Amino acid sequence: MLEIIVLPLLTMVTCKETRAAIIALHKNGFTGKDIVATKIGPKSTIYRFIKNFKERGSILVKKASGHPKKSSKCQDRLLKRIQLRDRIATNAELAQEWLQAGVSASATTVRRRLLEDGLVSRRAAKKPLLSKKNIRDRLIFCRKYSEWTAEDWGKVIFSDEAPFRLFGASGKRLVRRRKGERYHQSCVMPTVKHPDTIHVWGCFSSKGVGSLTILPKNTAMNKEWYQNTLQQQLLPTTQQQFGEEQYIFQHNGAPCHKAKVITKWLGDQNVEIWGPWPGNSPDLNPIENLWSVLKRRVDKQKPTNSDKLQEVIMKEWVAISQDLAQKLIESMPSRIAEVLKKKGQHFKY
């Protein structure tokens, strides 16, 4: 008889249903020991449910006592609207605004209410400012290439310049430390007032990384230097990776890239230029991810001077696998789709 009654009850999983099942068995004359034998729940839980039922005559959990909420649901919604109007307002500032609406609450209460609504405080993401023109250009570009497949993107060679700084190229770094070790030598990130900065130019495609060149110190990227870089770095890379195959060269809208002499020179070399590239759109360029990977790897080597930094950059660049390069190129269709989905705004990449 016990097995017949318990079998369907054992399929119940929630605490409320388990409580109801235990009390149902109790009402049917089963002892606590019998119910424990069914393994419907822990022994202490079973006896507690039975005891509470005998004392109150109900299976409902007694409402916990405590201080009533200072705000109503309507006032909580008002707080949410205030926060969404000003995303950078602090809890203390929000508490002052809420007070004007008739709710006297501490900054801690404000924080708790916002957490209940899923509004958590996080460091703001840093992204290039997008003007209306930038957004329009991004949408035009993405609509134009929305039908491109990963195979189509495999015919593009991406290029860009990037800075590498001595002592902490990638910014913030987390360390694990014990109490009192905040300033231990192994737990600090050294900084200098004017760190050496090295600028590099590189390119890559789905076939792997191409050439990487380091600008001489105190040299600005101008049209003369850029043409020399394209001749000595880009052309050998495209010959090695594509041979006689057709390819498209991507570079952004930097002044030296758009110079007439550069456009003419590329045309003379039969290099098809991909353009125009939408401004302020690093999230669309997979080489930005490649720079991030490279900077993390360089940071781990902890170079201590400019010469060592250059050496590590070159070493880690050639160590980047073709698989990684190919995965980044294959991400282009999803990047295009994300920009269209976000109506031209930034997205995580």
Side-chain angles (χ1 to χ4, degrees), residues 156-158 202-206 208-210 241 286-287 290 317 325 328-329:
V156 179
I157 184 162
F158 291 86
C203 60
F204 90 110
S205 71
S206 63
V209 296
Q241 293 192 354
I287 201 170
L290 209 58
W317 174 259
L328 290 175
I329 297 297

Side-chain angles (χ1 to χ4, degrees), residues 51-324:
K51 179 184 176 183
N52 292 342
F53 177 73
K54 288 179 178 179
E55 292 175 352
R56 298 198 300 269
S58 171
I59 66 171
L60 298 176
V61 178
K62 186 178 179 181
K63 189 174 181 180
S65 60
H67 197 282
K69 289 181 67 173
K70 288 188 175 182
S71 57
S72 64
K73 290 184 178 180
C74 181
Q75 290 169 327
D76 290 345
R77 289 194 294 271
L78 172 62
L79 175 64
K80 181 180 178 181
R81 289 197 297 272
I82 294 172
Q83 172 70 101
L84 292 177
R85 282 201 306 265
D86 185 1
R87 298 282 188 141
I88 63 174
T90 64
N91 293 330
E93 292 169 343
L94 291 171
Q96 286 298 318
E97 287 200 54
W98 215 14
L99 181 61
Q100 296 174 12
V103 184
S104 178
S106 66
T108 302
T109 299
V110 168
R111 177 178 177 274
R112 189 163 53 246
R113 291 291 183 277
L114 293 174
L115 285 174
E116 291 169 358
D117 248 319
L119 287 167
V120 296
S121 180
R122 292 288 185 267
R123 187 180 292 110
K126 292 183 179 180
K127 294 284 188 178
L129 177 66
L130 289 176
S131 65
K132 290 183 178 179
K133 181 181 184 305
N134 292 146
I135 293 173
R136 184 174 65 251
D137 290 346
R138 283 161 65 86
L139 287 172
I140 292 172
F141 177 86
C142 291
R143 285 169 185 151
K144 181 177 179 180
Y145 296 104
S146 61
E147 301 298 324
W148 271 35
T149 64
E151 184 178 353
D152 294 323
W153 291 106
K155 300 173 184 176
V156 179
I157 184 162
F158 291 86
S159 70
D160 195 18
E161 298 88 36
F164 286 77
R165 294 181 181 86
L166 199 60
F167 299 117
S170 58
K172 296 184 181 296
R173 182 180 296 163
L174 299 179
V175 297
R176 296 189 185 278
R177 66 184 185 222
R178 292 181 288 264
K179 186 176 180 180
E181 290 186 332
R182 181 177 185 183
Y183 300 109
H184 190 278
Q185 186 175 358
S186 63
C187 299
V188 298
M189 185 171 72
T191 63
V192 294
K193 285 187 177 180
H194 304 289
D196 283 345
T197 301
I198 292 174
H199 293 269
V200 305
W201 178 93
C203 60
F204 90 110
S205 71
S206 63
K207 301 179 187 295
V209 296
S211 294
L212 182 80
T213 185
I214 296 175
L215 276 73
K217 201 169 183 178
N218 301 321
T219 300
M221 176 67 89
N222 53 38
K223 57 187 179 183
E224 290 79 16
W225 197 94
Y226 188 52
Q227 181 176 331
N228 183 62
T229 298
L230 295 178
Q231 185 166 3
Q232 295 187 12
Q233 309 297 331
L234 175 66
L235 295 185
T237 294
T238 55
Q239 180 60 38
Q240 179 185 4
Q241 293 192 354
F242 294 95
E244 299 303 317
E245 295 179 42
Q246 188 66 31
Y247 67 90
I248 304 174
F249 174 57
Q250 180 278 336
H251 58 181
N252 56 37
C256 63
H257 297 177
K258 297 188 294 182
K260 291 181 179 179
V261 64
I262 296 298
T263 303
K264 181 179 183 305
W265 184 87
L266 287 170
D268 292 341
Q269 304 301 318
N270 296 318
V271 176
E272 182 179 351
I273 307 172
W274 195 15
W277 183 261
N280 286 351
S281 299
D283 49 357
L284 278 172
N285 195 339
I287 201 170
E288 295 292 341
N289 301 84
L290 209 58
W291 293 138
S292 295
V293 171
L294 183 60
K295 288 181 179 182
R296 286 196 299 270
R297 293 184 181 183
V298 169
D299 276 355
K300 287 182 179 180
Q301 300 294 324
K302 299 180 180 179
T304 55
N305 56 59
S306 183
D307 291 339
K308 186 64 177 176
L309 177 58
Q310 293 185 41
E311 179 185 331
V312 172
I313 290 172
M314 299 301 292
K315 176 185 173 184
E316 293 298 335
W317 174 259
V318 297
I320 294 174
S321 68
Q322 183 187 348
D323 285 344
L324 175 58

